Amino acid sequence: MNERSFGEDSVGFVETQYATLCEPPNELVLDSGVKLGPIDIAYETYGVLNEDKSNVILILHALSGDAHAAGWYKGARKPGWWDIAIGPGKAFDTDRYFVICSNVIGGCKGSTGPSSINPATGRPFGLDFPVVTIGDMVRVQKRLLDHLGIDSLLTVSGGSMGGMQALQWAVDYPDMVRSAIPIATTSRLSAQGIAFNEVGRQAIMADPNWNHGDYYGKIPPDAGLAVARMIGHITYLSDEGMHAKFGRRLRDKEKYGFDFSSDFEVESYLKYQGEAFIQRFDANSYLYITKAQDYFDMTNETGSLVEAFRGVKARFLVISFSSDWLFPSYQSKEIVTALRLNGVDVSYCEISSTYGHDAFLLEAGQQAILIKNFLAHTMEAVAHGR
Amino acid sequence: MNERSFGEDSVGFVETQYATLCEPPNELVLDSGVKLGPIDIAYETYGVLNEDKSNVILILHALSGDAHAAGWYKGARKPGWWDIAIGPGKAFDTDRYFVICSNVIGGCKGSTGPSSINPATGRPFGLDFPVVTIGDMVRVQKRLLDHLGIDSLLTVSGGSMGGMQALQWAVDYPDMVRSAIPIATTSRLSAQGIAFNEVGRQAIMADPNWNHGDYYGKIPPDAGLAVARMIGHITYLSDEGMHAKFGRRLRDKEKYGFDFSSDFEVESYLKYQGEAFIQRFDANSYLYITKAQDYFDMTNETGSLVEAFRGVKARFLVISFSSDWLFPSYQSKEIVTALRLNGVDVSYCEISSTYGHDAFLLEAGQQAILIKNFLAHTMEAVAHGR
């Protein structure tokens, strides 16, 4: 891959950068009331910051994402998680915009989280790491932008939990956010969403190797984390998508095995997903990040979504996918209605797709056109001081 | 409860009965080719067999069901699993019909399964128990009816896996089955259904106490089985039903706990379901019965559902529920279409309900009326020799 020749639409080789923020006495006060700092944040940037710093796009990742949203690490077999959407000429066009993506607090990809060293003990935090919220993630991102000298965002965008952060940004920093593109997301996690997250956490905590979160340097709770990932993965696909992709096709057999090995392709696919995930993710981070999702409810303080969006100044493009049953379209429509009732300029599109919730990671065509046009209009509005 | 006075619509106290079938040399040849016998079967009966034995209804249970479909055990706090539908004046009216329900082979409620003693070793079968299919379950039920001297069934009925058995009965014993009422079921388990079953199995097998199925007399894989049940339980409810029942209500707190105990009611509900289940179910039976579901595909031999139903003589009432996303209505409609293309007399009704897949266990009103009318017409047709 070092000899790789990139297509014209690739940002090419990238490297993750790191910033240390919230150093005492400027610790971050979390929603829980706990003070945390210093906080390391991993981030990447693509494209070039323009002179008046008006072309900044903040990309926000989902549960298992990280700062590596686009381009290639040297030697890697896969590009960043949203390479389909970020690059020259792509939805987030790096010829025009300066794109930033950072790993969330609580994560395990370079940002401070439960696997980081607790300065107070010299040992990994484990469960001593404080529970964080979507609001906390956003506060840390704000500190990162302060650190980078950026005080205006052309847009904030992400899918799933990334969309939650985009909503939170538009509410918490209305004067800083010119537009927001929440995709396949919700203004508050549903009971069903909480239930799936909780079962994933129970699977991890049921693994004896989890050891109440104290497993660093020992055998991690791989079996539990793999089960959690498998559960999650089913919810990211759709019934019709799974039917189209796997149906009832048998793995490599002529007929049923009459045992408990994998008979069906869908079984071995899921197992593969579970096993690949444990190579790259920390079980405690899975607990913390799903908990942050569970706690996400924009109506928590106001009791009403319309009230919650009262101060929003950003333009919005809201996107959902027809077969997404984890964050169904009705949840996006609730956001759209509450924004419109505040007189916010909002476009909404439900894209027809069989990919389920994962569609935001996979659908390049319509999603890219929607985002491109929306950003062009937003940039024009900014240029004309609107 | 021993002093309990029953309502007029209750079958009252009941006791489970047992039959030993398939004794050598008359073992059952399973779909896997393995010979199995003797086989113990637990069953219950309600109502009175009429003189010409024309009023027999066979009730077929779902994954976690058993022979105890109606009435009360002495001292019990809950009646049988389908007491809502079986009793004097109820859907399956025990004043008119003789109702039989038996625990499936592979189960853990009195019928031979992985927790039974293997006559060859004198120890519990564990994973030495052969993998069984829905067809095998039906074959054993046929042996039970032979044993009871019954050669005609007014109807076969059940929900979920019980509906699979009802379909299999109508196909395998067309001359014996006058009618069938498959409810909330499918003619073949979908990729999504297989996926959920597989994740449940993986949760059990990831529990070190599972020990490759050899845990009898030791600590069973309770943690894994509880996770499997929690996963299943989410699929039995609906998004809207969970929203109505739990929403984002907190358990007994004013605000978030900022820890990994249960914050939300839906979490403690799920945990309760998991913990209640491990008291009454065997983890290996969970593996075997879910595998039987995965293998269920009425098109396996013919390649076509229309072909599969070619010899069916039974009248049909097919029922599905609007919010059932585990066995969605489109799967019932496939059954209806294939039956109609064979000229079979079939009624179909999608009942509007927010209860999801579990609706067949909970909806008394419309479901009861549909079944009652259908059975009355069927009985009349039998009386007139049609």
Side-chain angles (χ1 to χ4, degrees):
Chain A
M1 195 60 68
N2 287 344
E3 298 301 313
R4 183 181 175 80
S5 64
F6 296 103
E8 286 184 1
D9 64 353
S10 174
V11 299
F13 287 128
V14 296
E15 282 182 12
T16 305
Q17 303 174 69
Y18 299 88
T20 300
L21 312 167
C22 310
E23 290 187 273
N26 296 312
E27 295 100 331
L28 194 74
V29 181
L30 301 170
D31 274 330
S32 64
V34 174
K35 278 187 176 182
L36 188 67
I39 296 171
D40 291 324
I41 290 296
Y43 69 99
E44 296 188 7
T45 70
Y46 323 107
V48 180
L49 184 63
N50 65 7
E51 208 165 335
D52 61 357
K53 300 183 179 178
S54 65
N55 70 337
V56 182
I57 290 175
L58 183 64
I59 296 295
L60 306 152
H61 71 73
L63 207 180
S64 63
D66 51 33
H68 184 40
W72 297 78
Y73 289 153
K74 286 193 175 149
R77 289 178 303 166
K78 287 201 299 188
W81 59 268
W82 219 7
D83 194 75
I84 203 171
I86 303 167
K90 292 182 182 170
F92 302 99
D93 185 348
T94 50
D95 285 341
R96 308 188 62 184
Y97 309 115
F98 180 63
V99 176
I100 305 173
C101 182
S102 67
N103 184 216
V104 296
I105 185 174
C108 52
K109 299 305 192 69
S111 291
T112 296
S115 58
S116 305
I117 298 298
N118 180 352
T121 64
R123 300 187 57 239
F125 278 102
L127 285 207
D128 288 337
F129 193 76
V131 166
V132 294
T133 65
I134 301 294
D136 293 330
M137 294 175 182
V138 166
R139 261 170 227 124
V140 175
Q141 288 154 2
K142 171 66 166 62
R143 296 272 188 124
L144 174 65
L145 296 183
D146 292 346
H147 171 82
L148 298 174
I150 288 163
D151 59 9
S152 176
L153 291 169
L154 182 69
T155 204
V156 288
S157 182
S160 195
M161 189 182 79
M164 296 177 182
Q165 295 164 68
L167 293 173
Q168 192 77 50
W169 259 104
V171 166
D172 286 357
Y173 303 102
D175 293 323
M176 193 166 165
V177 179
R178 307 301 305 239
S179 73
I181 311 176
I183 305 173
T185 196
T186 183
S187 60
R188 47 182 178 166
L189 197 66
S190 67
Q192 191 183 60
I194 295 170
F196 276 118
N197 278 344
E198 171 66 4
V199 177
R201 288 192 296 265
Q202 288 294 324
I204 290 168
M205 297 192 285
D207 187 328
N209 290 334
W210 178 63
N211 191 30
H212 296 276
D214 182 11
Y215 55 79
Y216 300 107
K218 305 171 200 163
I219 299 169
D222 285 342
L225 181 59
V227 169
R229 179 61 168 179
M230 286 188 265
I231 297 167
H233 214 85
I234 300 174
T235 68
Y236 307 151
L237 308 179
S238 74
D239 180 35
E240 58 194 305
M242 291 181 95
H243 178 73
K245 190 167 183 176
F246 307 107
R248 294 182 49 84
R249 269 200 313 279
L250 295 171
R251 210 158 53 100
D252 47 9
K253 308 175 179 184
E254 293 282 302
K255 49 183 185 167
Y256 296 158
F258 292 104
D259 59 25
F260 294 101
S261 65
S262 298
D263 284 281
F264 298 95
E265 280 188 12
V266 66
E267 292 175 290
S268 43
Y269 171 80
L270 278 179
K271 273 193 208 164
Y272 171 80
Q273 293 296 334
E275 278 156 27
F277 193 62
I278 60 176
Q279 306 301 323
R280 68 179 181 90
F281 214 81
D282 174 55
N284 281 338
S285 277
Y286 199 91
L287 302 183
Y288 279 86
I289 297 177
T290 54
K291 197 70 183 178
Q293 293 179 1
D294 290 4
Y295 280 177
F296 184 66
D297 180 354
M298 302 221 69
T299 71
N300 260 350
E301 284 176 29
T302 59
S304 137
L305 196 55
V306 179
E307 278 299 317
F309 287 152
R310 194 62 83 197
V312 166
K313 295 180 180 173
R315 309 171 71 226
F316 268 76
L317 168 63
V318 178
I319 297 174
S320 68
F321 296 92
S322 57
S323 60
D324 182 352
W325 58 277
L326 189 60
F327 295 88
S329 288
Y330 79 82
Q331 298 181 1
S332 282
K333 288 176 193 164
E334 286 173 0
I335 295 168
V336 171
T337 301
L339 287 169
R340 289 211 173 118
L341 285 171
N342 279 296
V344 171
D345 178 3
V346 49
S347 293
Y348 169 61
C349 193
E350 181 190 70
I351 295 178
S352 182
S353 168
T354 62
Y355 286 134
H357 183 59
D358 261 358
F360 78 94
L361 295 168
L362 303 168
E363 291 282 2
Q366 293 182 48
Q367 181 173 255
I369 295 165
L370 290 170
I371 293 173
K372 255 180 143 161
N373 290 342
F374 176 79
L375 288 178
H377 288 143
T378 303
M379 196 68 182
E380 206 176 316
V382 170
H384 290 79
R386 290 197 298 262
Chain B
M1 196 59 67
N2 288 343
E3 298 303 312
R4 182 182 175 80
S5 63
F6 296 104
E8 286 184 2
D9 63 353
S10 173
V11 300
F13 287 127
V14 297
E15 282 182 12
T16 306
Q17 302 174 68
Y18 300 87
T20 300
L21 312 167
C22 309
E23 290 186 272
N26 296 311
E27 295 100 332
L28 195 75
V29 180
L30 302 169
D31 274 331
S32 64
V34 174
K35 277 188 178 180
L36 188 68
I39 296 172
D40 292 323
I41 291 295
Y43 68 99
E44 297 188 6
T45 69
Y46 322 108
V48 181
L49 184 62
N50 65 6
E51 207 165 335
D52 61 357
K53 300 183 179 177
S54 65
N55 70 336
V56 182
I57 290 176
L58 183 64
I59 297 295
L60 307 152
H61 71 73
L63 207 180
S64 63
D66 52 34
H68 184 40
W72 297 78
Y73 290 152
K74 286 194 174 145
R77 289 179 302 168
K78 289 200 299 187
W81 59 269
W82 220 8
D83 193 74
I84 204 171
I86 303 167
K90 290 181 182 169
F92 301 101
D93 185 347
T94 50
D95 285 341
R96 307 187 63 184
Y97 309 115
F98 181 63
V99 176
I100 306 173
C101 182
S102 67
N103 183 215
V104 297
I105 186 174
C108 51
K109 299 305 193 70
S111 291
T112 297
S115 58
S116 305
I117 298 297
N118 181 350
T121 65
R123 301 186 58 240
F125 278 103
L127 286 206
D128 288 336
F129 193 76
V131 167
V132 294
T133 65
I134 302 293
D136 293 329
M137 294 175 184
V138 165
R139 259 169 229 125
V140 175
Q141 289 153 2
K142 171 67 165 63
R143 297 271 189 128
L144 174 65
L145 296 183
D146 292 347
H147 170 82
L148 297 174
I150 288 162
D151 59 9
S152 175
L153 291 169
L154 182 68
T155 204
V156 289
S157 181
S160 194
M161 190 182 80
M164 295 177 181
Q165 295 164 67
L167 292 172
Q168 192 77 49
W169 258 103
V171 166
D172 287 357
Y173 302 102
D175 293 322
M176 193 167 165
V177 178
R178 308 301 303 240
S179 73
I181 311 176
I183 305 174
T185 196
T186 183
S187 60
R188 48 181 176 166
L189 197 65
S190 67
Q192 191 183 61
I194 295 170
F196 276 118
N197 278 344
E198 170 66 4
V199 177
R201 287 191 297 265
Q202 288 294 325
I204 290 168
M205 297 192 286
D207 187 327
N209 290 334
W210 178 62
N211 192 30
H212 296 275
D214 182 11
Y215 55 79
Y216 300 107
K218 305 172 199 161
I219 299 169
D222 286 342
L225 181 59
V227 169
R229 178 61 168 179
M230 286 188 266
I231 297 166
H233 214 84
I234 300 174
T235 68
Y236 306 150
L237 308 179
S238 74
D239 180 35
E240 58 193 306
M242 291 180 95
H243 178 71
K245 190 167 181 176
F246 307 108
R248 294 181 50 83
R249 267 199 316 281
L250 295 171
R251 208 159 54 101
D252 48 9
K253 308 175 178 181
E254 292 282 301
K255 49 183 186 169
Y256 297 159
F258 291 104
D259 59 27
F260 294 101
S261 66
S262 297
D263 283 282
F264 298 95
E265 280 189 12
V266 66
E267 293 175 288
S268 43
Y269 170 80
L270 279 179
K271 274 193 209 164
Y272 171 80
Q273 293 296 334
E275 277 156 28
F277 193 61
I278 60 176
Q279 306 301 323
R280 68 178 183 89
F281 214 80
D282 174 55
N284 281 337
S285 277
Y286 199 90
L287 302 183
Y288 279 86
I289 297 177
T290 54
K291 197 72 182 176
Q293 292 178 3
D294 289 4
Y295 281 177
F296 184 66
D297 180 354
M298 301 223 69
T299 71
N300 260 350
E301 283 176 31
T302 58
S304 136
L305 196 55
V306 178
E307 278 299 319
F309 287 151
R310 194 62 84 197
V312 166
K313 295 181 180 173
R315 310 172 69 226
F316 269 77
L317 169 63
V318 177
I319 297 174
S320 68
F321 296 92
S322 58
S323 59
D324 183 352
W325 58 278
L326 188 60
F327 295 88
S329 289
Y330 79 82
Q331 298 181 1
S332 282
K333 288 176 193 163
E334 286 173 1
I335 294 168
V336 171
T337 301
L339 286 169
R340 289 212 174 117
L341 285 170
N342 279 296
V344 172
D345 177 5
V346 49
S347 294
Y348 168 62
C349 192
E350 181 191 69
I351 295 177
S352 181
S353 168
T354 62
Y355 286 133
H357 183 59
D358 261 357
F360 77 95
L361 295 169
L362 303 169
E363 292 281 2
Q366 293 181 50
Q367 180 172 257
I369 295 166
L370 289 169
I371 292 172
K372 255 178 140 161
N373 290 341
F374 177 79
L375 288 177
H377 288 143
T378 304
M379 196 68 183
E380 206 176 319
V382 169
H384 290 80
R386 289 196 298 262

